[in-house]
Amino acid sequence: MAKRGLNVDQFTFCIGEGGVGLSMISSHIAAMFGTANHKYFDPNVFYMDDEMRKVVETLAGGCIFTGQEKPSGCKNPLREDLIKKMATAEGIAGRMPYAILTKLVKLVGWKRIECNTMFKFDDITEGNLESITRRCAVVPMYCKFFDAQAYESKLAQYNPERCGLFARDPTAGAFLTSAQGCAAGLVMQHQFAMTHSLTDIRRIISNYT
């Protein structure tokens, strides 16, 4: 949907413990689509609207937006309105540092955050629960990666991949950001786009949520 210039009306929260490959997935996506289409942002923008106002213009023009790591030690409450506006591509007020004019920026595309623990939403009631859940898709990562030597000696005989257990590959990150890795990923995405209509894609997202 994002590649077609459409908005995915949800935030994708990818949750997993350290070492499950979340950062490598983001690096792979960033390498495939380049800095013009993929933009990184600091999730602190959801705690301080001043920070959002400063960076939202720099995000404009992308179609995939990735936030890395849930902020820790922040005393400010989470600004749920900013998450909702970003998820639904509503206008967000933005003004570059030292600029005079404030602009409304609409971020159209796919928004994703990779984090070790889920964000905490305060002041949840029965009245506003649905407005948050329908804008959030949570993808938990349960796989485990082990040292290759320990994997081969103790786990390989038990068909561990069926249980989400894999040997750690120190070269995986380099391959996923290489020309060959990017080409393979783009071919897989293109094939999926050729065999699934927009209606199919919306149904998949809706069913998952």
Side-chain angles (χ1 to χ4, degrees), residues 6-207:
L6 302 173
N7 189 59
V8 182
D9 293 330
Q10 290 172 324
F11 247 105
T12 303
F13 290 88
C14 300
I15 303 178
E17 299 177 356
V20 301
L22 288 177
S23 59
M24 286 200 294
I25 295 173
S26 296
S27 298
H28 181 52
I29 294 173
M32 283 193 296
F33 293 100
T35 56
N37 298 308
H38 178 273
K39 308 280 187 179
Y40 282 110
F41 68 92
D42 184 353
N44 267 307
V45 297
F46 298 128
Y47 292 86
M48 295 171 281
D49 57 342
D50 287 341
E51 292 298 318
M52 173 69 84
R53 191 174 294 116
K54 293 176 185 176
V55 304
V56 67
E57 278 196 65
T58 64
L59 299 177
C63 63
I64 302 175
F65 311 91
T66 298
Q68 291 185 297
E69 300 297 338
K70 170 189 168 185
S72 59
C74 182
K75 297 181 180 179
N76 296 329
L78 180 68
R79 289 287 303 273
E80 297 161 17
D81 61 311
L82 294 178
I83 287 185
K84 293 176 183 177
K85 286 182 178 179
M86 191 171 182
T88 57
E90 296 179 29
I92 301 175
R95 183 175 65 248
M96 297 290 285
Y98 309 110
I100 298 175
L101 297 177
T102 297
K103 303 176 182 178
L104 285 179
V105 179
K106 296 183 178 181
L107 301 178
V108 176
W110 179 34
K111 296 88 178 184
R112 54 190 302 275
I113 293 182
E114 59 174 60
C115 48
N116 298 126
T117 58
M118 187 60 182
F119 281 63
K120 181 180 179 181
F121 294 89
D122 297 318
D123 302 323
I124 300 299
T125 65
E126 291 186 7
N128 63 12
L129 175 64
E130 195 270 341
S131 68
I132 294 174
T133 55
R134 67 188 175 91
R135 293 186 174 97
C136 297
V138 181
V139 182
M141 304 293 186
Y142 292 116
C143 55
K144 296 283 186 180
F145 290 87
F146 296 88
D147 178 76
Q149 185 174 351
Y151 180 88
E152 290 295 333
S153 63
K154 298 181 179 180
L155 296 174
Q157 58 183 319
Y158 301 110
N159 196 10
E161 292 187 3
R162 294 184 59 187
C163 303
L165 307 177
F166 304 93
R168 185 178 290 112
D169 182 2
T171 66
F175 171 73
L176 290 173
T177 55
S178 67
Q180 296 89 341
C182 292
L186 288 172
V187 168
M188 291 173 64
Q189 291 182 15
H190 177 72
Q191 181 63 29
F192 180 86
M194 292 294 291
T195 55
H196 292 78
S197 67
L198 182 59
T199 301
D200 295 332
I201 295 172
R202 292 188 186 278
R203 185 181 298 114
I204 291 172
I205 296 174
S206 179
N207 289 343

